[in-house]
Amino acid sequence: MPERIWLNVTMTLLSDAIFGAGYSIPGGEDIAVCKNEQGLPYLKGSTLKGLLRESVENLVEWTGLSASLPKELFGAEDWEGVTDERRILFSSLQLLHAPKDPQECYQNRVFTALEQGTVKNGTLRMAACIRAGLVFGGRVCCAKEDEELVRQAFAGIKWLGTLRSRGFGRVDFRLESTESTQSQKSALHAKCLRYRLRTILPVMVPNLSKSHGNSSETRGYLPGSVVRGMVLSQLAQQQPEWFEQNRRVLLSDEMRFLNAEPTGAPGVLPAIMSFYDDKTDNGEVGNKVVSVLNNDVMGSKRASLGSNCSLNGDTVYYWSSRTSSAMRLNQRAADSKDGKALFQVRYLEQGQNFEGYIVLPEPSFAEAISEVLQGRVWIGADRYQGFGECEVEELEAVDQPDWVQQYGYRQQNEIGTTLYLLLMSPTAMRDDWGENRGLDLEQLKEQLGLENLEILACSTSIAVFGGYNRMWKCRTEWERMYDRGCIFKLDCKGESPKLEALQRIQAQGLGIRRGEGYGQVLFLRPELFEAIRKRAPLERTNDTEQQSQQQLVRRAKYQWIMDQSQTLYKNGFSKSQGGMLQALCEKAKRQHGDCTELNAHLEKNLTARGPAFRKRYMHVDALVRSVLNAPLSETLSLAAVPDSMEERLQLLIMLFDHSRKAVQE
């Protein structure tokens, strides 16, 4: 395996720059810059990769180097790229020595286009520029043999970002080499390992069943298949003889990589689907829940429990992993003008912990696994474009997963004739003919050692799961499965299964693709499940959670603006009239929420200017008054929204500004 080194990258802005985010800010900039959760500018790893690749391609053209070099260092497009030790890994470039106020990093600039020496109509645009003099830092990892080439390629990058032709984006790069971290031996010896990963960079785990067109969704957890691919790939490269010797077992269902779930409370479970909101006498939805497995929930709505939960007494506590989205640009598609250059990706944010388990066929395998599952690792999609870097914070030997110990049957528990089967991961079983049966009661009955078995009730959801085989360069077969969190109430017909049978099924899993983390199940103790009467969000008060809430509020505002702008200019209401309302809202905001002039203007057009004006203003008047008179949480359908009259007026200002530009364009 080639020796690899880390290069610390420092980038200094020699002029103002614009790292385009791919979208505009309603009521603000027409060209927005990339900002992290703290509102500070940063350069995406994918952008850095594209710049460096272009520089390497220029070096190949000018110096006569091998034409295959860019592909070897950066991979091929689409699905053709394969994991290779020579490929370069990138982090994003984050701001060093950040100011206390993020706004100190920016200044607004205004641009127009000229036509025959005069300003072209409709071309006035505003952009937020990153101030010259700021310094950004990050890292790249490359093979030691490519260090000099990488240094030359970085030296060739002089400009980046948007509006380079107008003098923006002049930069200077400096590189400093550091030694790569060497693996350390571990003395682990166990049949089950628990690991904890912390995301250093954003991680992309595409949810192919929910992705479409130019949009890519992410899963809220790390599938076992993602960790499996990383570990087995590293074993094949670092310990090739041992890997070949144990290849059959490593690639079989005897070695199982369970999903890594976002940490929260002890005993992390996927969100259980059976809980529905229990409405009060006046029909309102509170924090009380009932289970569809044991109650009539006609007319009720399934309770929102995020992506994960835990059970404690009579309460189910719930939470979700933090996700964000970004706009990406496929430069080659943009050059070909095929209409698919701009696309949106959603990813797991950095700074989160995920905990998972690896079930081993032999305790001796633990030492080999521990040699590759330590330090910094890279997982998920686009890990060569500034995504996927994680740190292994913990790796320890355990007897079994925590959720088995906390919620499963123990030696002292009495096993009744009614079982609650919870799917910890997507699950599907096949019959003797190879047909997908979902949950095959005949096989399950046989494994439980029972004469009869029946499903009394269930709460389920079905999704499709696939993948991609990089060796064969093709997609794997799509499988319809019961999703994680599905739960079944089983009747054993007067016969109680043995504890050993339950534990064996929990240890081995059910159905297909168990080595990739599918088919993991838990027999939930009835007294824990049936005691649940209410739900509550898990309390998280750290800064990162507050930043995540701010992102939710921002997205809710943008979605509301997009929805309302579709119907704002109807019945003859014009953009100039919208501009007048925007000006009155801005004046009211400057006067600390005094809406006297705004209300008078609306009243005049409704009552004193005739039927035509009344018709134009009826919809707008109702919209403005509903925003001003209702809490923002009600307007945006989102809890915990900062609220004041100034905030409500700002929402209206953003709406009128965005809708007028949309109409103009």
Side-chain angles (χ1 to χ4, degrees), residues 476-650:
T476 58
E477 181 182 3
W478 289 89
E479 296 284 357
R480 292 173 60 86
M481 299 186 182
Y482 285 119
D483 208 348
R484 56 196 284 274
C486 293
I487 188 168
F488 298 82
K489 184 178 182 180
L490 305 175
D491 183 11
C492 302
K493 298 297 183 181
E495 186 180 4
S496 298
K498 295 182 179 180
L499 177 62
E500 292 76 11
L502 302 183
Q503 293 177 337
R504 182 174 59 254
I505 293 174
Q506 289 176 160
Q508 297 178 355
L510 291 174
I512 60 177
R513 298 173 63 174
R514 289 176 287 123
E516 302 173 47
Y518 297 98
Q520 182 61 44
V521 300
L522 169 68
F523 288 98
L524 192 60
R525 299 208 306 272
E527 66 271 18
L528 300 178
F529 176 75
E530 294 173 355
I532 299 300
R533 296 291 182 270
K534 56 185 179 180
R535 63 185 174 102
L538 187 69
E539 293 293 335
R540 290 182 173 183
T541 58
N542 57 50
D543 293 340
T544 307
E545 285 298 319
Q546 294 175 3
Q547 294 155 8
S548 180
Q549 177 64 20
Q550 292 172 1
Q551 291 180 335
L552 290 175
V553 172
R554 186 164 59 249
R555 284 199 291 266
K557 286 183 177 180
Y558 293 163
Q559 185 61 54
W560 182 87
I561 289 169
M562 296 297 292
D563 293 341
Q564 298 300 326
S565 62
Q566 301 297 321
T567 60
L568 188 61
Y569 293 95
K570 66 179 184 179
N571 299 328
F573 187 76
S574 67
K575 60 184 180 182
S576 62
Q577 291 167 335
M580 175 60 72
L581 287 179
Q582 179 180 343
L584 290 172
C585 288
E586 291 172 346
K587 185 175 182 179
K589 182 182 176 183
R590 291 194 300 270
Q591 295 175 346
H592 307 291
D594 184 358
C595 300
T596 303
E597 290 189 42
L598 175 62
N599 291 329
H601 179 78
L602 291 171
E603 186 66 23
K604 177 181 178 181
N605 283 279
L606 284 174
T607 61
R609 302 191 67 181
F613 276 86
R614 176 179 175 81
K615 182 179 179 181
R616 292 180 188 178
Y617 275 83
M618 283 184 62
H619 173 70
V620 177
D621 176 76
L623 176 63
V624 170
R625 296 187 188 280
S626 67
V627 172
L628 296 180
N629 296 330
L632 273 182
S633 58
E634 180 179 323
T635 302
L636 302 177
S637 300
L638 183 69
V641 179
D643 195 6
S644 67
M645 185 56 68
E646 288 86 346
E647 291 282 353
R648 299 176 192 180
L649 287 166
Q650 179 60 31

Side-chain angles (χ1 to χ4, degrees), residues 94-305:
Q94 301 288 339
L95 182 63
L96 304 178
H97 314 298
K100 292 183 179 180
D101 184 3
Q103 293 304 316
E104 295 180 14
C105 300
Y106 311 102
Q107 60 177 335
N108 289 333
R109 303 283 288 273
V110 178
F111 308 91
T112 61
L114 297 180
E115 186 176 46
Q116 297 180 352
T118 61
V119 176
K120 186 177 180 180
N121 184 39
T123 62
L124 181 63
R125 292 292 183 268
M126 178 183 294
C129 303
I130 306 169
R131 293 181 182 274
L134 296 180
V135 181
F136 296 78
R139 301 191 306 163
V140 298
C141 182
C142 65
K144 189 172 181 60
E145 62 181 289
D146 297 320
E147 178 183 0
E148 184 58 32
L149 176 64
V150 171
R151 289 181 178 273
Q152 293 178 14
F154 267 106
I157 303 175
K158 302 297 183 183
W159 303 84
L160 57 78
T162 305
L163 299 179
R164 296 180 225 179
S165 61
R166 299 195 179 191
F168 290 87
R170 187 181 173 207
V171 295
D172 176 66
F173 281 98
R174 293 286 186 269
L175 275 70
E176 180 182 351
S177 61
T178 60
E179 294 297 326
S180 59
T181 303
Q182 299 296 321
S183 299
Q184 299 178 354
K185 291 285 184 178
S186 174
L188 289 178
H189 190 81
K191 292 197 68 173
C192 185
L193 297 176
R194 176 173 59 200
Y195 62 90
R196 181 189 292 261
L197 296 178
R198 182 171 180 81
T199 55
I200 304 301
L201 294 176
V203 176
M204 288 180 58
V205 187
N207 186 343
L208 298 180
S209 63
K210 294 185 178 181
S211 302
H212 54 83
N214 289 1
S215 176
S216 174
E217 283 294 327
T218 187
R219 300 194 184 280
Y221 60 97
L222 301 179
S225 57
V226 171
V227 180
R228 179 179 187 253
M230 180 272 295
V231 170
L232 296 186
S233 175
Q234 292 299 312
L235 285 173
Q237 294 169 6
Q238 298 182 23
Q239 305 176 43
E241 294 183 2
W242 185 89
F243 179 83
E244 286 299 325
Q245 181 181 354
N246 298 280
R247 183 188 186 97
R248 185 195 64 79
V249 177
L250 291 172
L251 298 177
S252 71
D253 287 342
E254 297 179 45
M255 183 165 178
R256 304 177 56 222
F257 291 79
L258 309 188
N259 296 338
E261 304 285 355
T263 58
V268 181
L269 300 174
I272 302 176
M273 297 184 182
S274 65
F275 294 116
Y276 280 65
D277 291 320
D278 187 10
K279 295 183 179 180
T280 59
D281 295 337
N282 58 6
E284 295 182 356
V285 175
N287 64 345
K288 294 184 178 180
V289 295
V290 294
S291 172
V292 68
L293 303 188
N294 300 308
N295 298 273
D296 181 8
V297 296
M298 183 69 69
S300 297
K301 180 181 178 182
R302 180 175 283 173
S304 177
L305 297 181

Side-chain angles (χ1 to χ4, degrees), residues 77 329-342:
E77 294 182 51
L329 179 67
N330 185 328
Q331 189 61 54
R332 297 180 187 273
D335 295 339
S336 65
K337 299 181 180 180
D338 65 353
K340 296 183 179 180
L342 195 64

Side-chain angles (χ1 to χ4, degrees), residues 338-595:
D338 65 353
K340 296 183 179 180
L342 195 64
F343 60 99
Q344 184 182 49
V345 295
R346 183 162 288 279
Y347 53 81
L348 297 169
E349 293 180 6
Q350 62 193 50
Q352 301 184 81
N353 289 325
F354 293 82
E355 189 172 275
Y357 298 85
I358 304 175
V359 181
L360 307 176
E362 295 291 340
S364 59
F365 280 39
E367 182 176 349
I369 298 297
S370 64
E371 290 182 11
V372 298
L373 192 58
Q374 64 170 298
R376 296 292 177 93
V377 297
W378 298 74
I379 61 175
D382 283 0
R383 54 188 178 275
Y384 296 104
Q385 301 188 47
F387 291 88
E389 184 180 9
C390 298
E391 183 173 5
V392 182
E393 292 193 333
E394 293 181 13
L395 181 66
E396 60 179 343
V398 295
D399 294 329
Q400 57 188 355
D402 286 350
W403 32 266
V404 174
Q405 180 70 21
Q406 186 162 341
Y407 304 114
Y409 286 93
R410 306 174 189 173
Q411 194 68 42
Q412 65 270 27
N413 298 130
E414 180 181 353
I415 303 176
T417 60
T418 300
L419 301 176
Y420 289 101
L421 177 64
L422 174 65
L423 304 189
M424 298 295 296
S425 64
T427 301
M429 303 175 70
R430 288 201 175 111
D431 60 17
D432 295 337
W433 300 95
E435 296 292 333
N436 191 323
R437 293 291 302 273
L439 190 67
D440 192 322
L441 287 182
E442 290 299 319
Q443 293 185 43
L444 184 57
K445 178 178 65 175
E446 181 178 344
Q447 293 186 42
L448 288 171
L450 300 174
E451 292 292 332
N452 296 287
L453 187 65
E454 179 183 342
I455 298 177
L456 294 179
C458 64
S459 184
T460 64
S461 174
I462 295 177
V464 292
F465 296 87
Y468 187 81
N469 188 310
R470 291 188 178 274
M471 177 177 292
W472 297 103
K473 299 180 181 179
C474 65
R475 293 186 183 275
T476 58
E477 181 182 3
W478 289 89
E479 296 284 357
R480 292 173 60 86
M481 299 186 182
Y482 285 119
D483 208 348
R484 56 196 284 274
C486 293
I487 188 168
F488 298 82
K489 184 178 182 180
L490 305 175
D491 183 11
C492 302
K493 298 297 183 181
E495 186 180 4
S496 298
K498 295 182 179 180
L499 177 62
E500 292 76 11
L502 302 183
Q503 293 177 337
R504 182 174 59 254
I505 293 174
Q506 289 176 160
Q508 297 178 355
L510 291 174
I512 60 177
R513 298 173 63 174
R514 289 176 287 123
E516 302 173 47
Y518 297 98
Q520 182 61 44
V521 300
L522 169 68
F523 288 98
L524 192 60
R525 299 208 306 272
E527 66 271 18
L528 300 178
F529 176 75
E530 294 173 355
I532 299 300
R533 296 291 182 270
K534 56 185 179 180
R535 63 185 174 102
L538 187 69
E539 293 293 335
R540 290 182 173 183
T541 58
N542 57 50
D543 293 340
T544 307
E545 285 298 319
Q546 294 175 3
Q547 294 155 8
S548 180
Q549 177 64 20
Q550 292 172 1
Q551 291 180 335
L552 290 175
V553 172
R554 186 164 59 249
R555 284 199 291 266
K557 286 183 177 180
Y558 293 163
Q559 185 61 54
W560 182 87
I561 289 169
M562 296 297 292
D563 293 341
Q564 298 300 326
S565 62
Q566 301 297 321
T567 60
L568 188 61
Y569 293 95
K570 66 179 184 179
N571 299 328
F573 187 76
S574 67
K575 60 184 180 182
S576 62
Q577 291 167 335
M580 175 60 72
L581 287 179
Q582 179 180 343
L584 290 172
C585 288
E586 291 172 346
K587 185 175 182 179
K589 182 182 176 183
R590 291 194 300 270
Q591 295 175 346
H592 307 291
D594 184 358
C595 300

